[in-house]
Amino acid sequence: MADAPGAQWSDAATVLFIADLHLDPARPLMIDAFRAFCEGPARTARAVYILGDLFEVWIGDDDDDPVWDRVIDAIGRLSAHGVAVHFMPGNRDFLVGDRLLARTGMVRLDDIEVITLGDRRTLLCHGDTLCTDDTAYQTFRRQVRSPDWQRDFLARPLAERRQIAAGLRDDSGDAMSGKSSVEMDVNAEALRAVCREQSVERVIHGHTHRPTRDQWRVDGTTVERWVLADWFTAGSMLRAREGEIEAVDLSD
C-alpha cells in the first residue's frame, strides 16, 4: 500500500474506505458532506481509498463546472496534509485522467487491488465487474472502457459530452428499472473466482448500494465481505484500525 511521501505512520494507523458518493452539482449538500469528511475524519487516516463513483458522472478532466473546484480543493488539501488518497474508477467516473489525479494528489488504482489489513489479504474493487449476470451492462462496460471510445468521446466539445452523459444516465435509469435484483447484484461464482485467484481472506467493494457484512466459503477458506454504502442520503465509510473494520455513519 503506497503512502504519501514523507508520511510517518504506525502499523495501527487508520485506513478509510468510501464509494458511491455520486457527487453531483444538483446535490450540493453531499458535496458539503464530502468536504467535511476530507476536513474531518479523513485527516486522522493513514490512507483513504475511494472505490469508485466519486462522481455521478465525469465527462473529462477539462470539465469547467466551477462546483468541481470545491471537490478538487478538498482532496488536494487532504493529500497535502499527508494522507495517501487512492482512487479506483467506477462505472460513473472511469474517465478520470492524469490531469485530475495531478491536481488532487490521488493515486489511481487498478480495477482490482490487493492490500494487507492487519494480517489479512484484502481485495478491493468497485464491484461492477462482479455483477456478471447483468450481461447488457458488461457489454456496455467493455465498450466505454475501450481506448477508441474514450478518445472519440473526449475529443467532442464539452456541451456535446454533457448531452451524451445525460442521455446515458437516462438510459441507465430506464434499464435498471427493468432489471431483476439478481442482475444488479454480485454473482456468487464471480466473487468466489476472484477470491480464489487472488488468494484473499477479505473483500471490500461498492457499486450495488447494498451495504452489508457477510461471509463466503471459498475452497474451505472463510472470506469476509464488506459492501460499502452509498452517499445518497448520508455519508458513510468503513474504518479499519489494527485490522478490525467497522461501518461508520457520518451523519451521526
Side-chain angles (χ1 to χ4, degrees):
M1 176 167 49
D3 295 323
Q8 298 295 319
W9 307 100
S10 70
D11 290 339
T14 300
V15 181
L16 305 180
F17 301 88
I18 58 176
D20 299 300
L21 286 74
H22 293 266
L23 298 182
D24 189 331
R27 299 169 59 238
L29 290 180
M30 282 300 100
I31 291 177
D32 291 341
F34 176 68
R35 287 173 58 84
F37 166 79
C38 290
E39 294 293 331
R43 289 290 183 108
T44 69
R46 169 187 183 177
V48 173
Y49 285 83
I50 305 171
L51 299 185
D53 288 359
L54 173 63
F55 303 102
E56 171 67 8
V57 64
W58 191 252
I59 61 171
D61 290 0
D62 57 340
D63 189 343
D64 57 6
D65 191 321
V67 74
W68 299 134
D69 290 336
R70 302 181 66 228
V71 176
I72 292 167
D73 175 71
I75 303 173
R77 286 173 175 269
L78 182 60
S79 297
H81 184 68
V83 179
V85 183
H86 303 267
F87 171 79
M88 178 178 289
N91 54 296
R92 300 284 186 146
D93 49 16
F94 54 85
L95 287 173
V96 164
D98 291 342
R99 178 176 169 185
L100 181 64
L101 297 177
R103 291 181 66 188
T104 58
M106 295 191 296
V107 175
R108 186 184 180 106
L109 301 176
D110 292 332
D111 288 338
I112 291 176
E113 291 282 339
V114 176
I115 64 173
T116 301
L117 288 177
D119 59 354
R120 301 180 68 177
R121 282 175 57 82
T122 301
L123 183 144
L124 311 177
C125 63
H126 177 56
D128 58 334
T129 56
L130 302 177
C131 298
T132 55
D133 290 312
D134 189 348
T135 55
Y137 167 72
Q138 296 300 332
T139 298
F140 171 77
R141 187 183 191 279
R142 287 191 293 272
Q143 175 190 358
V144 299
R145 292 299 185 102
S146 73
D148 289 343
W149 187 95
Q150 294 186 10
R151 190 180 307 111
D152 177 73
F153 181 81
L154 293 172
R156 298 171 185 269
L158 274 172
E160 184 178 354
R161 277 182 264 162
R162 289 193 177 100
Q163 289 181 337
I164 294 172
L168 290 174
R169 287 170 66 182
D170 290 343
D171 291 345
S172 175
D174 292 342
M176 287 179 63
S177 66
K179 290 179 181 177
S180 69
S181 60
V182 171
E183 287 179 292
M184 293 190 292
D185 205 354
V186 165
N187 175 279
E189 287 311 309
L191 178 63
R192 289 191 174 95
V194 73
C195 290
R196 186 178 298 116
E197 177 183 329
Q198 299 296 330
S199 300
V200 296
E201 300 167 275
R202 182 189 287 127
V203 176
I204 300 174
H205 72 81
H207 182 64
T208 65
H209 301 201
R210 300 176 181 185
T212 191
R213 177 193 183 189
D214 56 20
Q215 294 184 333
W216 297 64
R217 294 294 291 174
V218 180
D219 298 341
T221 299
T222 298
V223 176
E224 177 185 56
R225 180 179 70 142
W226 290 85
V227 182
L228 292 155
D230 62 50
W231 283 45
F232 282 120
T233 57
S236 177
M237 67 181 184
L238 293 184
R239 179 168 56 204
R241 290 188 293 201
E242 299 183 358
E244 298 298 320
I245 300 179
E246 62 177 337
V248 179
D249 184 344
L250 294 170
S251 64
D252 292 341

